[in-house]
């Protein structure tokens, strides 16, 4: 299928051998291979696809070494690496991908220290960092990313203080802050973000 430039092959229980076969499709520019059983070896094959500009490798078993290999793919503009159990060190490696404009690193283990590394990615315009337990301190760090227009910071144990920091991100037009520990004061801060065109805050408690 030499004419394909975009391929979604998610949720097929593919492993490293299938990843090797997919990596031979040198014409692909967009690949969604999430929800499979790809490990470090498969990540190595995928990292050799130098023509890709968009990659979704979330919900796989790539491990620390796999994350390191993916971080070396410097041509990517969009990366989804959610649910891969990566931590602070891997977040540091991902933060060095200065060509990325869109990053989904949700539901991992990067915590506050990892959020600090991610906040240095000043070229990002879209960030999903949900489900990483970054708390108010992490929210403060992320709020310094003044170039972001889309942010998902849900399920991160953020309280009223964190909500205040996020409310100062006047460039945001899309915000998901649901599932945090925000009270009435925090909701008031968020409600003052008049520039938002999309807001999700259901489930605040």
């Amino acid at each position: 299928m030499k004419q394909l430039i975009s391929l979604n092959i998610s949720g097929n229980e593919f492993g490293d051998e299938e990843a090797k076969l997919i990596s031979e499709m040198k014409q692909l520019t967009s690949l969604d291979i999430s929800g499979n059983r790809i490990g470090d070896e498969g990540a190595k094959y995928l990292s050799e696809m130098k023509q890709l500009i968009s990659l979704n490798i979330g919900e796989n078993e790539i491990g620390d070494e796999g994350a390191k290999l993916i971080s070396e793919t410097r041509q990517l503009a969009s990366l989804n690496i959610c649910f891969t159990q990566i931590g602070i060190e891997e977040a540091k490696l991902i933060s060095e991908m200065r060509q990325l404009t869109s990053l989904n690193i949700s539901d991992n283990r990067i915590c506050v220290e990892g959020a600090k590394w991610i906040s240095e990615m000043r070229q990002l315009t879209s960030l999903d960092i949900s489900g990483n337990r970054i708390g108010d301190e992490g929210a403060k760090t992320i709020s310094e990313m003044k170039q972001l227009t889309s942010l998902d910071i849900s399920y991160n144990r953020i309280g009223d203080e964190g909500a205040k920091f996020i409310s100062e991100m006047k460039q945001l037009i899309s915000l998901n802050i649901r599932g945090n520990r925000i009270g009435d004061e925090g909701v008031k801060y968020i409600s003052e973000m008049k520039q938002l065109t999309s807001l999700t805050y259901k489930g605040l408690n």
Side-chain angles (χ1 to χ4, degrees):
M1 303 180 74
K2 301 297 185 181
Q3 77 283 2
L4 282 181
I5 58 173
S6 179
L7 176 63
N8 184 335
I9 202 164
S10 59
N12 280 289
E13 297 190 359
F14 286 168
D16 293 340
E17 285 304 310
E18 289 81 8
K20 181 179 181 180
L21 293 173
I22 296 299
S23 72
E24 295 171 359
M25 303 178 71
K26 301 302 184 183
Q27 79 283 5
L28 287 180
T29 58
S30 177
L31 174 62
D32 184 342
I33 198 165
S34 60
N36 284 293
R37 295 182 291 104
I38 296 167
D40 290 349
E41 185 178 359
K44 180 178 184 296
Y45 294 129
L46 297 176
S47 71
E48 295 170 355
M49 300 179 72
K50 301 304 182 184
Q51 78 287 358
L52 281 182
I53 57 175
S54 177
L55 174 62
N56 184 344
I57 196 172
E59 299 179 70
N60 277 291
E61 303 164 1
I62 62 173
D64 296 348
E65 183 61 28
K68 179 180 179 181
L69 290 164
I70 294 300
S71 73
E72 295 171 356
T73 53
R74 300 301 188 190
Q75 81 286 351
L76 286 176
S78 176
L79 174 63
N80 185 330
I81 197 165
C82 69
F83 283 104
T84 48
Q85 296 298 307
I86 62 175
I88 297 169
E89 287 303 312
E90 293 73 41
K92 180 180 179 181
L93 293 172
I94 297 295
S95 74
E96 295 171 0
M97 301 178 72
R98 297 306 168 93
Q99 79 287 354
L100 286 180
T101 57
S102 177
L103 174 62
N104 184 337
I105 197 168
S106 63
D107 296 286
N108 282 296
R109 300 177 286 106
I110 71 169
C111 302
V112 176
E113 290 302 315
K116 290 178 180 178
W117 288 115
I118 298 301
S119 71
E120 295 183 3
M121 302 179 74
R122 298 306 168 95
Q123 80 287 356
L124 285 181
T125 57
S126 177
L127 174 63
D128 185 342
I129 197 170
S130 59
N132 274 289
R133 301 182 179 183
I134 66 173
D136 289 341
E137 185 179 351
K140 180 180 180 180
T141 298
I142 296 301
S143 72
E144 296 170 0
M145 301 178 74
K146 301 303 184 185
Q147 80 287 355
L148 286 180
T149 57
S150 177
L151 174 63
D152 187 338
I153 200 166
S154 57
Y155 299 100
N156 265 305
R157 302 183 178 181
I158 294 168
D160 291 344
E161 184 181 6
K164 181 179 181 181
F165 292 128
I166 297 301
S167 72
E168 295 168 356
M169 301 178 74
K170 302 304 182 184
Q171 78 288 356
L172 282 182
I173 57 175
S174 177
L175 174 63
N176 186 342
I177 198 166
R178 72 181 298 170
N180 282 294
R181 300 172 174 176
I182 299 173
D184 292 343
E185 184 180 0
V187 170
K188 181 179 179 181
Y189 289 131
I190 298 301
S191 69
E192 294 172 355
M193 300 179 74
K194 304 301 184 183
Q195 81 281 6
L196 291 178
T197 58
S198 176
L199 172 62
T200 303
Y201 65 87
K202 180 180 179 182
L204 298 182
N205 50 55

